[in-house]
Amino acid sequence: MTVIVGKHLGLPIDHVIANTTPPSGQAAAQRPENSQLSCKKLKEIGVDTSEAEGFDGWWKRYCQDLRGV
């Protein structure tokens, strides 16, 4: 996410390094395999929850809108 946001904001990202080491000790919390939140209520009130556009595309469009491009 950091790389995508930085790329579309025109910020340097070459110093960003992924942390691939799993947390240990107190930082290692048990997580469920599926922690997806329900969008049922949003759909009921008419909010479009489809993911027709990926995160990268959304940020690109959002940043262009901010710049008035």
Side-chain angles (χ1 to χ4, degrees):
M1 288 177 67
T2 301
V3 171
I4 290 172
V5 172
K7 175 178 73 173
H8 293 299
L9 291 175
L11 300 171
I13 55 174
D14 55 334
H15 66 285
V16 177
I17 301 168
N19 181 355
T20 59
T21 307
S24 61
Q26 289 183 322
Q30 293 290 325
R31 301 280 190 248
E33 187 173 323
N34 180 356
S35 59
Q36 181 176 358
L37 299 175
S38 172
C39 296
K40 182 180 176 183
K41 294 291 182 187
L42 293 173
K43 291 177 184 177
E44 288 175 4
I45 61 171
V47 175
D48 181 8
T49 60
S50 66
E51 294 186 29
E53 183 175 32
F55 185 72
D56 187 45
W58 184 90
W59 263 101
K60 180 179 180 180
R61 184 174 45 81
Y62 179 77
C63 290
Q64 288 172 340
D65 290 347
L66 285 176
R67 293 183 184 131
V69 176

